């Protein structure tokens, strides 16, 4: 029910008194959960904020496990993560993510060639048997929209740019596998 600060290095791209923007490494979980109670970005941030020259910001009493976390990236994904340090920044950033004014663009390597300017608009829901997995569903899922564009194809693998207009769990992986 509380975060244990841990001295884990963070790749900070930007920090001020309102927020921190960092590069999340692959294989690091964003916040504590079953199977990953420590060694997370949030554990590292708790330590960092105790020693930051930019201050700690507000205390987040509403969510002691995910203070300031506006969005997540999957454990295996590396990329830019935005974390609020104050309640005002959390409200503003959360509003921007909710209203989809934040563009989320990813690069991925895929087997095969998904094509140029491909629009994938397929609902995603929980797998009926493997509840921790997500899959394309015809009923009961949530709309998921991905815009995929192949940058380079070598005959076997592609480097693709994906812009997601929604933010479903494992959206990129599920859409590209489909």
């Amino acid at each position: 029910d509380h975060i244990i600060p841990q001295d884990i290095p963070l790749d900070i791209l930007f920090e001020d008194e309102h927020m921190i923007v960092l590069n999340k490494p692959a294989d690091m979980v964003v916040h504590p959960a079953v199977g990953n109670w420590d060694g997370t970005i949030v554990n590292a941030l708790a330590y960092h904020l105790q020693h930051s020259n930019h201050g700690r910001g507000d205390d987040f009493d509403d969510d002691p496990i995910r203070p300031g976390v506006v969005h997540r990236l999957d454990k295996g994904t590396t990329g830019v993560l935005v974390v609020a340090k104050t309640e005002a920044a959390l409200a503003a950033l959360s509003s921007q993510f909710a209203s989809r004014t934040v563009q989320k663009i990813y690069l991925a390597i895929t087997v095969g060639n998904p094509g140029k300017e491909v629009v994938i608009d397929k609902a995603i829901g929980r797998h009926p048997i493997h509840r921790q997995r997500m899959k394309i569903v015809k009923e009961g899922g949530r709309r998921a929209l991905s815009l995929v564009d192949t940058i380079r194809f070598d005959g076997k693998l592609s480097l693709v740019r994906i812009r997601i207009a929604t933010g479903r769990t494992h959206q990129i992986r599920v859409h590209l596998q489909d």
Side-chain angles (χ1 to χ4, degrees), residues 11-45:
D11 183 4
I12 296 173
L13 304 172
F14 173 83
E15 180 179 11
D16 66 11
E17 65 274 13
H18 306 288
M19 66 183 194
I20 298 175
V21 179
L22 54 98
N23 184 30
K24 185 195 95 54
D27 296 326
M28 190 170 193
V29 175
V30 173
H31 58 81
V34 175
N36 295 285
W37 293 115
D38 62 5
T40 70
I41 292 287
V42 170
N43 295 108
L45 282 168

Side-chain angles (χ1 to χ4, degrees), residues 83-151:
V83 180
K85 291 171 70 174
T86 66
E87 292 288 350
L90 180 62
L93 291 167
S94 294
S95 173
Q96 290 173 40
F97 274 83
S99 65
R100 310 273 185 237
T101 57
V102 173
Q103 282 196 17
K104 296 176 266 184
I105 300 171
Y106 299 83
L107 294 175
I109 297 173
T110 66
V111 175
N113 184 351
K116 289 293 225 175
E117 299 180 15
V118 176
V119 176
I120 304 172
D121 190 354
K122 295 184 177 184
I124 294 176
R126 293 221 172 263
H127 192 286
I129 297 168
H130 307 286
R131 301 299 293 161
Q132 292 181 326
R133 293 186 191 165
M134 306 302 277
K135 66 176 266 171
I136 301 294
V137 295
K138 293 193 187 318
E139 296 179 15
R142 296 176 69 192
R143 181 176 187 228
L145 179 62
S146 300
L147 308 165
V148 181
D149 194 27
T150 299
I151 297 169

